[in-house]
Amino acid sequence: MGYRFKEQVEICSSEQDEPGSYYPGTVLAAVGRSQYLVQYKARQSEGGRPLVRAVDEGEIRPVPPDAGRLRVLESDVVDGYVNGAWRVGRIVKRVEPNYYVKVDSDGAVHHLGWYRVRIHLDLVDGKWVCRKVADDGLQTNENEVKPMETAPDEENGIVECPVKLEIQE
């Protein structure tokens, strides 16, 4: 997958204590065949300037599609925007319009506004897929993100947003 100058991307954290964390950034240039020079939006260098570094192509991904304002439920897998990065976690409590998200990497619970929570999507073979937690809280399903064709149905693992989550067979 190639990236263009000034394209908005997310950079996977290379630090061991932050697996599943993605930092928003911008592509500045291609470096050779498999690296890109990126500028982080929320991380700074020691001099206080936005951090710029070369990263492997496998460490960056496009920004996930915007699903609009979501209505997520307790135990749903989400990304919470914490300390300048999107971090994978689960909803542990909902207090409209905010959420308490338990981050997978460190187990910390963060109180986040609705605009800092999004449904978690993974890029698999060029398609965005969503993991939803089953009623027992143990099983996860992969669901392909497609344009909404029918009304949302929470009981069948479909969230109330402009995407329909269909189970891949």
Side-chain angles (χ1 to χ4, degrees), residues 149-163:
E149 298 167 0
T150 61
D153 182 356
E154 288 179 10
E155 292 180 26
N156 293 317
I158 299 172
V159 297
E160 188 175 298
C161 67
V163 293

Side-chain angles (χ1 to χ4, degrees), residues 43-148:
R43 292 182 80 182
Q44 297 181 344
S45 65
E46 292 179 16
R49 293 186 174 156
L51 180 63
V52 174
R53 71 179 186 99
V55 296
D56 291 329
E57 184 175 27
E59 293 181 58
I60 59 178
R61 68 179 191 178
V63 174
D66 183 9
R69 182 159 181 206
L70 300 175
R71 186 168 149 232
V72 291
L73 305 173
E74 285 184 23
S75 77
D76 279 352
V77 179
V78 297
D79 294 331
Y81 193 74
V82 178
N83 297 328
W86 290 102
R87 301 177 194 277
V88 179
R90 296 184 188 278
I91 299 293
V92 293
K93 185 176 180 182
R94 187 172 90 178
V95 180
E96 285 292 335
N98 302 318
Y99 299 93
Y100 287 88
V101 176
K102 183 176 183 180
V103 175
D104 289 352
S105 62
D106 62 7
V109 176
H110 299 274
H111 181 221
L112 302 173
W114 62 267
Y115 53 92
R116 291 183 177 237
V117 175
R118 67 184 187 194
I119 203 76
H120 178 73
L121 299 174
D122 288 314
L123 189 60
V124 178
D125 297 326
K127 294 182 180 179
W128 291 102
V129 294
C130 175
R131 291 183 290 155
K132 292 282 289 175
V133 175
D135 294 338
D136 61 9
L138 300 174
Q139 178 185 357
T140 62
N141 296 321
E142 283 193 352
N143 300 294
E144 186 174 344
V145 177
K146 295 184 178 181
M148 182 177 281

